[in-house]
Amino acid sequence: MSFFVAQKTLERIEWTELVDLWAEHCRTPQGRALLLAQRASESLFAQSAGEAAERLALTSEARRLLDLEKAPGLGGIGSQLEANFTRAEKGGLLDGGALRDIGASLATLHAVRDSLKRNQGIAAQLAEL
């Protein structure tokens, strides 16, 4: 069964404004851009009860990690990753700052992976992702 939300309902709950508020709390520019790009899309909504349950389980695991102060930090994700990767794909040169940005981002991603592996008992589904 497909899920549908009427435009009038979205307007009543000020959906666009809610998504804009969430975007202010995104930790990375890429996350913010992804969220804002999907603002008007139904992909932000679960399309079935099963999908809603899966998303709720992931959210519960993340909340548990936060409550136990075991959530991995995302502070090292660079703000220019996409631009740097695009430049590199086109054969462009990356300066030291761009390489440092990519290196710091990779280190952060490895730390997140390692943290989720260590906390697999608390957040098994997140560790699987």
Side-chain angles (χ1 to χ4, degrees), residues 24-71:
E24 291 177 18
H25 296 283
C26 287
R27 299 270 177 117
T28 66
Q30 295 84 3
R32 183 177 303 106
L34 182 62
L35 176 63
L36 292 175
Q38 295 180 350
R39 176 177 30 211
S41 166
E42 287 193 15
S43 66
L44 289 176
F45 297 102
Q47 296 300 305
S48 67
E51 185 182 348
E54 289 172 17
R55 289 181 178 191
L56 183 57
L58 289 170
T59 302
S60 295
E61 286 185 358
R63 181 76 252 167
R64 211 167 317 138
L65 288 172
L66 287 168
D67 289 345
L68 296 171
E69 297 182 4
K70 294 185 177 200

mmCIF file of all heavy atoms in Angstrom, residues 24-71:
data_model
loop_
_atom_site.group_PDB
_atom_site.id
_atom_site.type_symbol
_atom_site.label_atom_id
_atom_site.label_comp_id
_atom_site.label_asym_id
_atom_site.label_seq_id
_atom_site.Cartn_x
_atom_site.Cartn_y
_atom_site.Cartn_z
ATOM 1 N N GLU A 24 18.652 23.246 9.273
ATOM 2 C CA GLU A 24 19.566 24.053 10.081
ATOM 3 C C GLU A 24 20.398 23.202 11.029
ATOM 4 O O GLU A 24 21.457 23.616 11.479
ATOM 5 C CB GLU A 24 18.788 25.104 10.878
ATOM 6 C CG GLU A 24 18.173 26.199 10.031
ATOM 7 C CD GLU A 24 17.354 27.173 10.866
ATOM 8 O OE1 GLU A 24 17.536 27.219 12.106
ATOM 9 O OE2 GLU A 24 16.534 27.880 10.272
ATOM 10 N N HIS A 25 19.922 22.005 11.345
ATOM 11 C CA HIS A 25 20.606 21.133 12.300
ATOM 12 C C HIS A 25 21.410 20.026 11.633
ATOM 13 O O HIS A 25 21.990 19.188 12.327
ATOM 14 C CB HIS A 25 19.601 20.544 13.289
ATOM 15 C CG HIS A 25 18.944 21.578 14.132
ATOM 16 N ND1 HIS A 25 19.577 22.163 15.207
ATOM 17 C CD2 HIS A 25 17.741 22.180 14.035
ATOM 18 C CE1 HIS A 25 18.780 23.065 15.749
ATOM 19 N NE2 HIS A 25 17.659 23.098 15.048
ATOM 20 N N CYS A 26 21.445 20.004 10.306
ATOM 21 C CA CYS A 26 22.256 19.011 9.600
ATOM 22 C C CYS A 26 23.727 19.273 9.899
ATOM 23 O O CYS A 26 24.164 20.415 9.971
ATOM 24 C CB CYS A 26 22.007 19.079 8.095
ATOM 25 S SG CYS A 26 20.402 18.424 7.603
ATOM 26 N N ARG A 27 24.478 18.210 10.075
ATOM 27 C CA ARG A 27 25.893 18.328 10.418
ATOM 28 C C ARG A 27 26.792 18.553 9.214
ATOM 29 O O ARG A 27 27.930 18.961 9.359
ATOM 30 C CB ARG A 27 26.363 17.068 11.151
ATOM 31 C CG ARG A 27 25.659 16.799 12.451
ATOM 32 C CD ARG A 27 26.406 17.478 13.573
ATOM 33 N NE ARG A 27 25.709 17.302 14.828
ATOM 34 C CZ ARG A 27 26.192 16.665 15.856
ATOM 35 N NH1 ARG A 27 27.381 16.116 15.792
ATOM 36 N NH2 ARG A 27 25.504 16.571 16.967
ATOM 37 N N THR A 28 26.299 18.235 8.020
ATOM 38 C CA THR A 28 27.133 18.397 6.839
ATOM 39 C C THR A 28 26.365 19.160 5.765
ATOM 40 O O THR A 28 25.132 19.068 5.688
ATOM 41 C CB THR A 28 27.556 17.029 6.249
ATOM 42 O OG1 THR A 28 26.392 16.363 5.757
ATOM 43 C CG2 THR A 28 28.278 16.174 7.270
ATOM 44 N N PRO A 29 27.081 19.882 4.926
ATOM 45 C CA PRO A 29 26.416 20.562 3.808
ATOM 46 C C PRO A 29 25.729 19.570 2.862
ATOM 47 O O PRO A 29 24.665 19.852 2.329
ATOM 48 C CB PRO A 29 27.554 21.282 3.086
ATOM 49 C CG PRO A 29 28.654 21.377 4.067
ATOM 50 C CD PRO A 29 28.509 20.200 4.985
ATOM 51 N N GLN A 30 26.331 18.391 2.706
ATOM 52 C CA GLN A 30 25.749 17.381 1.830
ATOM 53 C C GLN A 30 24.411 16.891 2.392
ATOM 54 O O GLN A 30 23.450 16.722 1.645
ATOM 55 C CB GLN A 30 26.712 16.195 1.652
ATOM 56 C CG GLN A 30 27.986 16.550 0.936
ATOM 57 C CD GLN A 30 29.065 17.138 1.862
ATOM 58 O OE1 GLN A 30 28.900 17.242 3.071
ATOM 59 N NE2 GLN A 30 30.177 17.541 1.277
ATOM 60 N N GLY A 31 24.355 16.664 3.693
ATOM 61 C CA GLY A 31 23.107 16.241 4.323
ATOM 62 C C GLY A 31 22.032 17.305 4.197
ATOM 63 O O GLY A 31 20.874 17.004 3.903
ATOM 64 N N ARG A 32 22.440 18.547 4.406
ATOM 65 C CA ARG A 32 21.500 19.672 4.295
ATOM 66 C C ARG A 32 20.958 19.765 2.871
ATOM 67 O O ARG A 32 19.746 19.888 2.661
ATOM 68 C CB ARG A 32 22.187 20.979 4.678
ATOM 69 C CG ARG A 32 21.297 22.191 4.666
ATOM 70 C CD ARG A 32 22.022 23.453 5.122
ATOM 71 N NE ARG A 32 22.589 23.304 6.469
ATOM 72 C CZ ARG A 32 23.889 23.143 6.737
ATOM 73 N NH1 ARG A 32 24.783 23.159 5.782
ATOM 74 N NH2 ARG A 32 24.308 22.995 7.983
ATOM 75 N N ALA A 33 21.833 19.663 1.890
ATOM 76 C CA ALA A 33 21.408 19.750 0.484
ATOM 77 C C ALA A 33 20.475 18.602 0.117
ATOM 78 O O ALA A 33 19.467 18.810 -0.569
ATOM 79 C CB ALA A 33 22.628 19.764 -0.434
ATOM 80 N N LEU A 34 20.782 17.403 0.579
ATOM 81 C CA LEU A 34 19.940 16.245 0.301
ATOM 82 C C LEU A 34 18.551 16.419 0.901
ATOM 83 O O LEU A 34 17.539 16.169 0.246
ATOM 84 C CB LEU A 34 20.594 14.973 0.835
ATOM 85 C CG LEU A 34 19.859 13.666 0.587
ATOM 86 C CD1 LEU A 34 19.739 13.390 -0.910
ATOM 87 C CD2 LEU A 34 20.599 12.527 1.268
ATOM 88 N N LEU A 35 18.504 16.875 2.141
ATOM 89 C CA LEU A 35 17.226 17.091 2.800
ATOM 90 C C LEU A 35 16.411 18.148 2.067
ATOM 91 O O LEU A 35 15.228 17.952 1.792
ATOM 92 C CB LEU A 35 17.441 17.512 4.261
ATOM 93 C CG LEU A 35 16.179 17.860 5.055
ATOM 94 C CD1 LEU A 35 15.262 16.663 5.172
ATOM 95 C CD2 LEU A 35 16.556 18.375 6.433
ATOM 96 N N LEU A 36 17.022 19.267 1.742
ATOM 97 C CA LEU A 36 16.296 20.345 1.082
ATOM 98 C C LEU A 36 15.853 19.956 -0.327
ATOM 99 O O LEU A 36 14.780 20.363 -0.775
ATOM 100 C CB LEU A 36 17.135 21.622 1.057
ATOM 101 C CG LEU A 36 17.365 22.255 2.431
ATOM 102 C CD1 LEU A 36 18.308 23.450 2.330
ATOM 103 C CD2 LEU A 36 16.047 22.656 3.093
ATOM 104 N N ALA A 37 16.648 19.141 -1.009
ATOM 105 C CA ALA A 37 16.271 18.691 -2.351
ATOM 106 C C ALA A 37 15.047 17.781 -2.310
ATOM 107 O O ALA A 37 14.269 17.736 -3.260
ATOM 108 C CB ALA A 37 17.437 17.971 -3.010
ATOM 109 N N GLN A 38 14.867 17.080 -1.203
ATOM 110 C CA GLN A 38 13.741 16.146 -1.079
ATOM 111 C C GLN A 38 12.570 16.756 -0.319
ATOM 112 O O GLN A 38 11.591 16.081 -0.058
ATOM 113 C CB GLN A 38 14.200 14.870 -0.377
ATOM 114 C CG GLN A 38 15.198 14.089 -1.167
ATOM 115 C CD GLN A 38 15.643 12.828 -0.448
ATOM 116 O OE1 GLN A 38 15.355 12.615 0.713
ATOM 117 N NE2 GLN A 38 16.361 11.992 -1.148
ATOM 118 N N ARG A 39 12.666 18.026 0.001
ATOM 119 C CA ARG A 39 11.653 18.709 0.808
ATOM 120 C C ARG A 39 10.238 18.483 0.270
ATOM 121 O O ARG A 39 9.322 18.222 1.031
ATOM 122 C CB ARG A 39 11.996 20.192 0.863
ATOM 123 C CG ARG A 39 11.008 21.039 1.573
ATOM 124 C CD ARG A 39 11.397 22.490 1.667
ATOM 125 N NE ARG A 39 12.209 22.947 0.562
ATOM 126 C CZ ARG A 39 13.116 23.896 0.657
ATOM 127 N NH1 ARG A 39 13.330 24.492 1.794
ATOM 128 N NH2 ARG A 39 13.804 24.274 -0.393
ATOM 129 N N ALA A 40 10.057 18.583 -1.036
ATOM 130 C CA ALA A 40 8.722 18.451 -1.616
ATOM 131 C C ALA A 40 8.427 17.018 -2.061
ATOM 132 O O ALA A 40 7.351 16.738 -2.557
ATOM 133 C CB ALA A 40 8.582 19.395 -2.801
ATOM 134 N N SER A 41 9.366 16.133 -1.851
ATOM 135 C CA SER A 41 9.229 14.759 -2.318
ATOM 136 C C SER A 41 8.610 13.874 -1.238
ATOM 137 O O SER A 41 8.813 14.080 -0.053
ATOM 138 C CB SER A 41 10.619 14.223 -2.680
ATOM 139 O OG SER A 41 10.590 12.839 -2.838
ATOM 140 N N GLU A 42 7.891 12.881 -1.695
ATOM 141 C CA GLU A 42 7.319 11.925 -0.747
ATOM 142 C C GLU A 42 8.359 10.935 -0.243
ATOM 143 O O GLU A 42 8.076 10.128 0.629
ATOM 144 C CB GLU A 42 6.145 11.186 -1.385
ATOM 145 C CG GLU A 42 4.916 12.060 -1.524
ATOM 146 C CD GLU A 42 3.668 11.277 -1.860
ATOM 147 O OE1 GLU A 42 3.666 10.039 -1.726
ATOM 148 O OE2 GLU A 42 2.689 11.920 -2.245
ATOM 149 N N SER A 43 9.584 10.999 -0.750
ATOM 150 C CA SER A 43 10.612 10.065 -0.306
ATOM 151 C C SER A 43 10.990 10.298 1.157
ATOM 152 O O SER A 43 11.581 9.432 1.784
ATOM 153 C CB SER A 43 11.851 10.160 -1.193
ATOM 154 O OG SER A 43 12.464 11.418 -1.055
ATOM 155 N N LEU A 44 10.651 11.463 1.697
ATOM 156 C CA LEU A 44 10.901 11.699 3.118
ATOM 157 C C LEU A 44 9.922 10.929 3.997
ATOM 158 O O LEU A 44 10.161 10.740 5.173
ATOM 159 C CB LEU A 44 10.816 13.199 3.444
ATOM 160 C CG LEU A 44 11.959 14.052 2.920
ATOM 161 C CD1 LEU A 44 11.705 15.521 3.230
ATOM 162 C CD2 LEU A 44 13.279 13.622 3.530
ATOM 163 N N PHE A 45 8.822 10.484 3.403
ATOM 164 C CA PHE A 45 7.819 9.719 4.138
ATOM 165 C C PHE A 45 7.995 8.232 3.869
ATOM 166 O O PHE A 45 8.278 7.837 2.743
ATOM 167 C CB PHE A 45 6.399 10.120 3.715
ATOM 168 C CG PHE A 45 6.055 11.542 4.000
ATOM 169 C CD1 PHE A 45 6.066 12.498 3.007
ATOM 170 C CD2 PHE A 45 5.722 11.931 5.285
ATOM 171 C CE1 PHE A 45 5.746 13.817 3.271
ATOM 172 C CE2 PHE A 45 5.400 13.249 5.569
ATOM 173 C CZ PHE A 45 5.414 14.197 4.561
ATOM 174 N N ALA A 46 7.806 7.431 4.889
ATOM 175 C CA ALA A 46 7.800 5.988 4.696
ATOM 176 C C ALA A 46 6.608 5.630 3.818
ATOM 177 O O ALA A 46 5.543 6.226 3.939
ATOM 178 C CB ALA A 46 7.714 5.275 6.041
ATOM 179 N N GLN A 47 6.813 4.676 2.941
ATOM 180 C CA GLN A 47 5.749 4.302 2.009
ATOM 181 C C GLN A 47 4.902 3.130 2.494
ATOM 182 O O GLN A 47 3.940 2.753 1.835
ATOM 183 C CB GLN A 47 6.353 3.991 0.642
ATOM 184 C CG GLN A 47 7.023 5.195 -0.002
ATOM 185 C CD GLN A 47 6.057 6.346 -0.225
ATOM 186 O OE1 GLN A 47 5.019 6.182 -0.849
ATOM 187 N NE2 GLN A 47 6.391 7.511 0.307
ATOM 188 N N SER A 48 5.265 2.561 3.637
ATOM 189 C CA SER A 48 4.491 1.454 4.182
ATOM 190 C C SER A 48 4.687 1.417 5.694
ATOM 191 O O SER A 48 5.607 2.042 6.232
ATOM 192 C CB SER A 48 4.952 0.123 3.577
ATOM 193 O OG SER A 48 6.268 -0.174 4.014
ATOM 194 N N ALA A 49 3.858 0.654 6.353
ATOM 195 C CA ALA A 49 3.987 0.505 7.808
ATOM 196 C C ALA A 49 5.316 -0.164 8.153
ATOM 197 O O ALA A 49 5.972 0.207 9.126
ATOM 198 C CB ALA A 49 2.817 -0.307 8.358
ATOM 199 N N GLY A 50 5.733 -1.123 7.335
ATOM 200 C CA GLY A 50 7.009 -1.798 7.571
ATOM 201 C C GLY A 50 8.186 -0.850 7.447
ATOM 202 O O GLY A 50 9.109 -0.875 8.272
ATOM 203 N N GLU A 51 8.155 -0.004 6.433
ATOM 204 C CA GLU A 51 9.231 0.967 6.253
ATOM 205 C C GLU A 51 9.241 1.976 7.405
ATOM 206 O O GLU A 51 10.305 2.364 7.892
ATOM 207 C CB GLU A 51 9.084 1.699 4.920
ATOM 208 C CG GLU A 51 10.240 2.625 4.619
ATOM 209 C CD GLU A 51 10.067 3.385 3.306
ATOM 210 O OE1 GLU A 51 9.180 3.064 2.507
ATOM 211 O OE2 GLU A 51 10.862 4.324 3.108
ATOM 212 N N ALA A 52 8.065 2.379 7.857
ATOM 213 C CA ALA A 52 7.990 3.300 8.995
ATOM 214 C C ALA A 52 8.586 2.658 10.241
ATOM 215 O O ALA A 52 9.328 3.296 10.992
ATOM 216 C CB ALA A 52 6.541 3.717 9.246
ATOM 217 N N ALA A 53 8.295 1.376 10.453
ATOM 218 C CA ALA A 53 8.842 0.655 11.607
ATOM 219 C C ALA A 53 10.365 0.555 11.519
ATOM 220 O O ALA A 53 11.060 0.722 12.530
ATOM 221 C CB ALA A 53 8.213 -0.733 11.702
ATOM 222 N N GLU A 54 10.887 0.301 10.313
ATOM 223 C CA GLU A 54 12.343 0.233 10.126
ATOM 224 C C GLU A 54 12.999 1.576 10.427
ATOM 225 O O GLU A 54 14.026 1.634 11.109
ATOM 226 C CB GLU A 54 12.671 -0.169 8.684
ATOM 227 C CG GLU A 54 12.355 -1.613 8.348
ATOM 228 C CD GLU A 54 12.527 -1.908 6.865
ATOM 229 O OE1 GLU A 54 13.180 -1.116 6.155
ATOM 230 O OE2 GLU A 54 11.997 -2.942 6.423
ATOM 231 N N ARG A 55 12.410 2.652 9.930
ATOM 232 C CA ARG A 55 12.970 3.980 10.171
ATOM 233 C C ARG A 55 12.906 4.339 11.655
ATOM 234 O O ARG A 55 13.833 4.939 12.190
ATOM 235 C CB ARG A 55 12.232 5.031 9.347
ATOM 236 C CG ARG A 55 12.513 4.943 7.864
ATOM 237 C CD ARG A 55 11.782 6.029 7.117
ATOM 238 N NE ARG A 55 12.051 6.011 5.697
ATOM 239 C CZ ARG A 55 11.685 6.982 4.876
ATOM 240 N NH1 ARG A 55 11.046 8.037 5.324
ATOM 241 N NH2 ARG A 55 11.956 6.905 3.591
ATOM 242 N N LEU A 56 11.812 3.967 12.308
ATOM 243 C CA LEU A 56 11.677 4.231 13.735
ATOM 244 C C LEU A 56 12.723 3.449 14.531
ATOM 245 O O LEU A 56 13.305 3.971 15.488
ATOM 246 C CB LEU A 56 10.271 3.896 14.223
ATOM 247 C CG LEU A 56 9.960 4.199 15.677
ATOM 248 C CD1 LEU A 56 10.191 5.675 15.984
ATOM 249 C CD2 LEU A 56 8.530 3.810 16.004
ATOM 250 N N ALA A 57 12.995 2.217 14.120
ATOM 251 C CA ALA A 57 14.011 1.403 14.802
ATOM 252 C C ALA A 57 15.388 2.049 14.673
ATOM 253 O O ALA A 57 16.149 2.113 15.649
ATOM 254 C CB ALA A 57 14.013 -0.019 14.246
ATOM 255 N N LEU A 58 15.729 2.533 13.478
ATOM 256 C CA LEU A 58 17.015 3.208 13.280
ATOM 257 C C LEU A 58 17.103 4.481 14.120
ATOM 258 O O LEU A 58 18.136 4.767 14.733
ATOM 259 C CB LEU A 58 17.222 3.551 11.802
ATOM 260 C CG LEU A 58 17.498 2.384 10.864
ATOM 261 C CD1 LEU A 58 17.449 2.829 9.413
ATOM 262 C CD2 LEU A 58 18.835 1.734 11.182
ATOM 263 N N THR A 59 16.008 5.226 14.156
ATOM 264 C CA THR A 59 15.974 6.447 14.960
ATOM 265 C C THR A 59 16.130 6.124 16.438
ATOM 266 O O THR A 59 16.851 6.820 17.161
ATOM 267 C CB THR A 59 14.658 7.207 14.711
ATOM 268 O OG1 THR A 59 14.549 7.501 13.318
ATOM 269 C CG2 THR A 59 14.595 8.495 15.503
ATOM 270 N N SER A 60 15.488 5.055 16.886
ATOM 271 C CA SER A 60 15.591 4.639 18.297
ATOM 272 C C SER A 60 17.026 4.248 18.642
ATOM 273 O O SER A 60 17.529 4.584 19.711
ATOM 274 C CB SER A 60 14.645 3.471 18.578
ATOM 275 O OG SER A 60 13.312 3.885 18.418
ATOM 276 N N GLU A 61 17.695 3.545 17.718
ATOM 277 C CA GLU A 61 19.093 3.183 17.961
ATOM 278 C C GLU A 61 19.969 4.427 18.054
ATOM 279 O O GLU A 61 20.820 4.528 18.944
ATOM 280 C CB GLU A 61 19.603 2.263 16.852
ATOM 281 C CG GLU A 61 19.067 0.860 16.940
ATOM 282 C CD GLU A 61 19.675 -0.064 15.905
ATOM 283 O OE1 GLU A 61 20.500 0.378 15.082
ATOM 284 O OE2 GLU A 61 19.336 -1.256 15.938
ATOM 285 N N ALA A 62 19.763 5.364 17.143
ATOM 286 C CA ALA A 62 20.555 6.597 17.174
ATOM 287 C C ALA A 62 20.297 7.370 18.456
ATOM 288 O O ALA A 62 21.224 7.887 19.093
ATOM 289 C CB ALA A 62 20.224 7.459 15.951
ATOM 290 N N ARG A 63 19.056 7.432 18.879
ATOM 291 C CA ARG A 63 18.710 8.129 20.122
ATOM 292 C C ARG A 63 19.388 7.454 21.315
ATOM 293 O O ARG A 63 19.893 8.121 22.225
ATOM 294 C CB ARG A 63 17.187 8.123 20.295
ATOM 295 C CG ARG A 63 16.660 8.819 21.526
ATOM 296 C CD ARG A 63 16.702 10.316 21.359
ATOM 297 N NE ARG A 63 17.752 10.864 22.191
ATOM 298 C CZ ARG A 63 18.229 12.089 22.126
ATOM 299 N NH1 ARG A 63 17.774 12.917 21.250
ATOM 300 N NH2 ARG A 63 19.170 12.502 22.918
ATOM 301 N N ARG A 64 19.406 6.117 21.313
ATOM 302 C CA ARG A 64 20.053 5.364 22.387
ATOM 303 C C ARG A 64 21.550 5.691 22.452
ATOM 304 O O ARG A 64 22.107 5.898 23.532
ATOM 305 C CB ARG A 64 19.843 3.869 22.176
ATOM 306 C CG ARG A 64 19.770 3.067 23.454
ATOM 307 C CD ARG A 64 19.255 1.652 23.234
ATOM 308 N NE ARG A 64 18.120 1.670 22.326
ATOM 309 C CZ ARG A 64 17.917 0.801 21.334
ATOM 310 N NH1 ARG A 64 18.739 -0.185 21.133
ATOM 311 N NH2 ARG A 64 16.883 0.884 20.542
ATOM 312 N N LEU A 65 22.186 5.747 21.295
ATOM 313 C CA LEU A 65 23.609 6.104 21.257
ATOM 314 C C LEU A 65 23.833 7.508 21.811
ATOM 315 O O LEU A 65 24.775 7.742 22.564
ATOM 316 C CB LEU A 65 24.150 6.012 19.829
ATOM 317 C CG LEU A 65 24.340 4.617 19.254
ATOM 318 C CD1 LEU A 65 24.687 4.700 17.774
ATOM 319 C CD2 LEU A 65 25.388 3.837 20.019
ATOM 320 N N LEU A 66 22.972 8.431 21.441
ATOM 321 C CA LEU A 66 23.084 9.803 21.953
ATOM 322 C C LEU A 66 22.883 9.844 23.462
ATOM 323 O O LEU A 66 23.629 10.508 24.176
ATOM 324 C CB LEU A 66 22.066 10.717 21.264
ATOM 325 C CG LEU A 66 22.368 11.082 19.815
ATOM 326 C CD1 LEU A 66 21.151 11.729 19.162
ATOM 327 C CD2 LEU A 66 23.571 12.004 19.738
ATOM 328 N N ASP A 67 21.871 9.139 23.944
ATOM 329 C CA ASP A 67 21.578 9.132 25.381
ATOM 330 C C ASP A 67 22.734 8.552 26.190
ATOM 331 O O ASP A 67 23.000 8.994 27.302
ATOM 332 C CB ASP A 67 20.298 8.341 25.671
ATOM 333 C CG ASP A 67 19.044 9.053 25.191
ATOM 334 O OD1 ASP A 67 19.119 10.275 24.900
ATOM 335 O OD2 ASP A 67 17.991 8.393 25.088
ATOM 336 N N LEU A 68 23.398 7.552 25.628
ATOM 337 C CA LEU A 68 24.520 6.900 26.317
ATOM 338 C C LEU A 68 25.855 7.584 26.020
ATOM 339 O O LEU A 68 26.903 7.102 26.437
ATOM 340 C CB LEU A 68 24.594 5.422 25.926
ATOM 341 C CG LEU A 68 23.399 4.571 26.338
ATOM 342 C CD1 LEU A 68 23.480 3.188 25.711
ATOM 343 C CD2 LEU A 68 23.305 4.470 27.849
ATOM 344 N N GLU A 69 25.791 8.699 25.306
ATOM 345 C CA GLU A 69 26.988 9.453 24.910
ATOM 346 C C GLU A 69 27.983 8.577 24.153
ATOM 347 O O GLU A 69 29.192 8.649 24.352
ATOM 348 C CB GLU A 69 27.624 10.130 26.115
ATOM 349 C CG GLU A 69 26.699 11.160 26.749
ATOM 350 C CD GLU A 69 27.320 11.882 27.927
ATOM 351 O OE1 GLU A 69 28.495 11.662 28.236
ATOM 352 O OE2 GLU A 69 26.597 12.686 28.542
ATOM 353 N N LYS A 70 27.454 7.717 23.281
ATOM 354 C CA LYS A 70 28.290 6.839 22.467
ATOM 355 C C LYS A 70 28.103 7.110 20.979
ATOM 356 O O LYS A 70 28.537 6.333 20.150
ATOM 357 C CB LYS A 70 27.955 5.379 22.772
ATOM 358 C CG LYS A 70 28.328 4.979 24.176
ATOM 359 C CD LYS A 70 28.113 3.517 24.411
ATOM 360 C CE LYS A 70 28.572 3.180 25.827
ATOM 361 N NZ LYS A 70 28.838 1.775 25.979
ATOM 362 N N ALA A 71 27.449 8.217 20.654
ATOM 363 C CA ALA A 71 27.226 8.549 19.250
ATOM 364 C C ALA A 71 28.527 9.016 18.613
ATOM 365 O O ALA A 71 29.270 9.792 19.212
ATOM 366 C CB ALA A 71 26.161 9.638 19.135
#
